[in-house]
């Protein structure tokens, strides 16, 4: 009996990158890491289990191993950062008697990449991994923890909402557009696209979007990261651009901003389960689009083999023409994705996002309702007037961190 207990003893420990990488890759292949529609996570391109979280301010990866052979049967990733709760706090300004509006921030933890081997499910391993990760969150001062999953992923939702006391918090949409063989027009005669430097992008985001829910306080690290493919500002052609200072003090009536993140160097996706007829039809659209690019046929890229994606984030803008400008920025991002060899352009927006209608996407590839669940990790409040963010109503927009997509 003791030998059997030792053989089945479960150990949860921190990942040893040198010793565990191959075993983790094998576990990832055994697990179907579902995403929206027919897409699923295919593989970590770099063969690095922590590649998707290494750019976060603070991160941890745990593995669950069992038996004398130390088989890895479960993994979980977690990271911690400081974000805005989407509220404002008015404080006296040092410069004058006016009140200065500041966003309310909190230390937020995020759980991603929870996997359990199919042969070891329903044995409480996932729950043990989550509990251990939450212990690390608390030790490092996180006030809240959240995770994201698909609406139809009942096992994951049941684990977090029924066993771990998370509540459904937000239901954003993941919008996916294929990258065609032709370039997309961006109407440069009416709208000018300006590529901002990382310092300019940081300043603009802090001035305009810092009170948006989930806005990361280390936005400077994001826009300066090697995976960031640029931040782009769209303004009317007649607007004279002389620099960011003038834009912030005297902006045009309408404008839009958006950043792009190259996920191709981090992970790849593939669409599974497509019939031969559908594959051939998709190939035919690509052949025609490549031969006759001036027709601008909406062709289907080769998404039935591993492909990369370009993720759009930091969407924002003002004015009656902001949606038109956001659409132009999406077209510009499509052309960047084409140059990078990505198969799709993806963004995630709040269900009430004002610029949502401007984002081109294919409904079949997109996910109308992703589910974000949240849990408060601490019992006491540092300031009783701030309330509990996990019980707050949704705002119009959210800031989706590309490091966690």
């Amino acid at each position: 009996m003791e030998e059997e207990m030792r053989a089945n003893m479960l150990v949860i420990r921190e990942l040893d990158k040198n010793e565990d990488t191959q075993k983790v890759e094998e576990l990832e292949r055994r697990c179907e890491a579902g995403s929206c529609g027919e897409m699923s996570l295919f593989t970590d391109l770099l063969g690095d289990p922590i590649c998707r979280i290494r750019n976060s301010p603070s991160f941890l990866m745990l593995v669950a191993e069992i038996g004398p052979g130390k088989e890895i049967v479960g993994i979980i990733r977690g990271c911690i950062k400081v974000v805005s709760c989407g509220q404002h706090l008015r404080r006296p300004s040092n410069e004058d008697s006016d009140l200065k509006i500041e966003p309310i921030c909190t230390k937020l933890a995020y759980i991603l990449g929870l996997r359990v081997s199919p042969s070891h499910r329903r044995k409480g391993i996932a729950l043990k991994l989550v509990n251990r990760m939450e212990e690390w969150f608390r030790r490092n001062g996180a006030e809240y923890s959240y995770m994201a999953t698909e609406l139809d992923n009942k096992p994951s939702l049941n684990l977090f909402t029924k066993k771990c006391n998370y509540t459904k918090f937000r239901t954003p949409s993941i919008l996916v557009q294929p990258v065609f063989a032709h370039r997309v027009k961006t109407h440069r005669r009416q709208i000018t696209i300006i590529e901002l430097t990382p310092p300019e992008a940081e300043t603009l985001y802090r001035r305009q979007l810092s009170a948006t829910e989930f806005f990361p306080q280390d936005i400077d690290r994001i826009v300066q990261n090697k995976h960031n493919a640029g931040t782009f500002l769209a303004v009317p052609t007649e607007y004279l651009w002389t620099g960011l200072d003038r834009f912030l003090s005297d902006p045009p009536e309408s404008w839009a901003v958006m950043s792009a993140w190259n996920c191709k160097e981090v992970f790849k996706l593939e669409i599974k389960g497509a019939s031969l007829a559908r594959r051939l039809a998709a190939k035919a659209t690509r052949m025609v689009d490549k031969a006759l690019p001036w027709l601008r046929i909406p062709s289907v890229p080769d998404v039935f083999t591993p492909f990369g994606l370009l993720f759009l984030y930091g969407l924002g803008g003002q004015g009656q023409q902001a949606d038109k400008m956001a659409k132009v920025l999406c077209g510009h991002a499509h052309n960047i994705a084409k140059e990078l060899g990505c198969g799709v352009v993806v963004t995630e927006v709040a269900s009430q996002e004002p610029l949502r209608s401007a984002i081109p996407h294919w409904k079949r590839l997109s996910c109308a309702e992703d589910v974000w669940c949240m849990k408060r990790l601490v019992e006491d409040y540092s300031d009783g007037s701030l309330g509990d963010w996990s019980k707050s109503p949704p705002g119009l927009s959210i800031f989706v961190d590309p490091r966690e997509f």
Side-chain angles (χ1 to χ4, degrees), residues 48-192:
D48 182 352
I50 64 172
C51 188
R52 296 184 68 189
I53 57 174
R54 68 162 65 252
N55 296 303
S56 298
S58 180
F59 61 87
L60 176 70
M61 182 168 176
L62 300 174
V63 298
E65 64 179 17
I66 194 169
K70 297 184 178 181
E71 177 188 4
I72 291 182
V73 296
I75 55 175
I76 190 172
R77 299 170 176 89
C79 48
I80 302 174
K81 61 184 178 182
V82 177
V83 304
S84 169
C85 299
Q87 304 176 58
H88 289 84
L89 184 65
R90 296 181 178 272
R91 299 184 185 276
S93 172
N94 294 328
E95 299 178 359
D96 49 46
S97 59
D98 295 336
L99 293 177
K100 182 180 181 182
I101 299 177
E102 296 180 354
I104 298 174
C105 296
T106 188
K107 205 165 188 180
L108 176 70
Y110 180 50
I111 292 176
L112 72 163
L114 175 60
R115 308 276 186 267
V116 175
S117 173
S119 61
H120 288 79
R121 290 174 183 170
R122 297 182 178 86
K123 296 181 179 180
I125 295 175
L127 179 59
K128 289 182 173 65
L129 284 167
V130 173
N131 289 340
R132 185 67 65 83
M133 184 61 73
E134 286 182 351
E135 290 175 8
W136 180 74
F137 290 161
R138 290 187 178 93
R139 288 198 305 271
N140 286 273
E143 295 182 77
Y144 298 91
S145 173
Y146 85 108
M147 51 76 67
T149 190
E150 305 82 39
L151 182 62
D152 59 356
N153 191 341
K154 300 302 181 183
S156 181
L157 282 175
N158 289 339
L159 168 67
F160 282 93
T161 60
K162 295 182 179 180
K163 296 182 180 181
C164 300
N165 299 318
Y166 284 69
T167 56
K168 292 182 181 179
F169 185 62
R170 300 291 182 257
T171 54
S173 299
I174 298 176
L175 307 179
V176 182
Q177 180 193 22
V179 176
F180 311 131
H182 64 270
R183 292 177 61 84
V184 173
K185 288 185 176 180
T186 54
H187 304 286
R188 291 298 184 95
R189 292 183 179 179
Q190 294 83 30
I191 297 173
T192 299

Side-chain angles (χ1 to χ4, degrees), residues 32-52:
E32 186 155 321
S35 185
C36 292
E38 298 175 34
M39 290 201 299
S40 62
L41 183 64
F42 176 74
T43 185
D44 186 324
L45 179 67
L46 302 182
D48 182 352
I50 64 172
C51 188
R52 296 184 68 189

